């Protein structure tokens, strides 16, 4: 008898949490994108993987934030879903206009260094990619015999 009551109690709690999860989702009826200057709204929607009519919960919103940050186009992103209206607020990373080297006179040496860089001219600036690129340049120079660069 006690086993039956315990099983039914566990089953009731399980059903409660299943229904509670589905109750915390919202269907997106409108999407507003703010703060973008260079990047089109459609591109932001493509990266976020959110569409009008989507049934979103907190995990979907967190995944969309992750996808937008992974694009390396944005310095800051926030997503708010209030009463079925989704607002995406972005702050874009600046664009790198040009990359110049000082102290390296050989064009062939510059070309060898530029081959494998993460940051390139006309790409979005990202502090993490800048640090990786600096270490790549130092490593390339060491491989070419310039140990004190």
């Amino acid at each position: 008898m006690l086993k039956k009551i315990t099983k039914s109690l566990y089953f009731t709690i399980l059903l409660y949490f299943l229904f509670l999860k589905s109750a915390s989702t919202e269907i997106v009826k409108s999407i507003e994108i703010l703060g973008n200057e260079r990047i089109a709204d459609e591109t932001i929607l493509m990266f976020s993987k959110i569409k009008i009519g989507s049934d979103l919960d907190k995990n979907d919103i967190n995944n969309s934030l992750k996808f937008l940050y992974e694009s390396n186009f944005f310095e800051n992103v926030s997503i708010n879903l209030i009463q079925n209206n989704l607002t995406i607020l972005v702050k874009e990373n600046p664009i790198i206009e040009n990359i110049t080297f000082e102290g390296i006179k050989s064009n062939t040496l510059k070309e060898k260094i530029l081959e494998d860089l993460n940051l390139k001219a006309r790409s979005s600036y990202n502090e993490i990619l800048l640090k990786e690129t600096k270490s790549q340049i130092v490593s390339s120079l060491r491989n070419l015999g310039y140990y004190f660069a």
Side-chain angles (χ1 to χ4, degrees), residues 28-52 64 68 73-74 76-81 85-92:
V28 177
K29 294 190 178 177
S30 68
I31 299 174
E32 183 179 16
I33 299 174
L34 303 171
N36 57 326
E37 296 172 11
R38 294 182 322 274
I39 300 168
D41 291 352
E42 293 80 19
T43 305
I44 294 171
L45 288 175
M46 180 191 69
F47 281 121
S48 70
K49 299 181 181 177
I50 295 175
K51 297 178 182 174
I52 292 178
S64 295
L68 287 168
F73 288 135
F74 307 106
N76 194 10
V77 180
S78 66
I79 298 177
N80 294 318
L81 181 60
N85 297 317
L86 184 80
T87 304
I88 301 174
L89 179 63
V90 297
K91 182 177 180 189
E92 297 175 352

Side-chain angles (χ1 to χ4, degrees), residues 7-25:
K7 280 185 181 182
S8 64
L9 182 62
Y10 284 134
F11 184 70
T12 306
I13 291 171
L14 177 68
L15 285 177
Y16 175 75
F17 282 114
L18 287 174
F19 286 119
L20 181 66
K21 173 154 176 47
S22 65
S24 66
T25 63

Side-chain angles (χ1 to χ4, degrees), residues 91-124:
K91 182 177 180 189
E92 297 175 352
N93 281 327
I95 294 288
I96 298 171
E97 184 65 33
N98 196 5
I99 298 175
T100 58
F101 291 97
E102 293 182 11
I104 301 175
K105 296 178 183 176
S106 170
N107 287 334
T108 56
L109 187 58
K110 286 180 188 178
E111 289 172 7
K112 287 181 182 179
I113 292 172
L114 286 172
E115 284 176 0
D116 300 324
L117 295 185
N118 290 336
L119 285 181
K120 304 211 183 265
R122 302 283 183 196
S123 66
S124 292

Side-chain angles (χ1 to χ4, degrees), residues 23 48 119 132 139 143:
S48 70
L119 285 181
E132 288 176 5
S139 176
N143 289 339

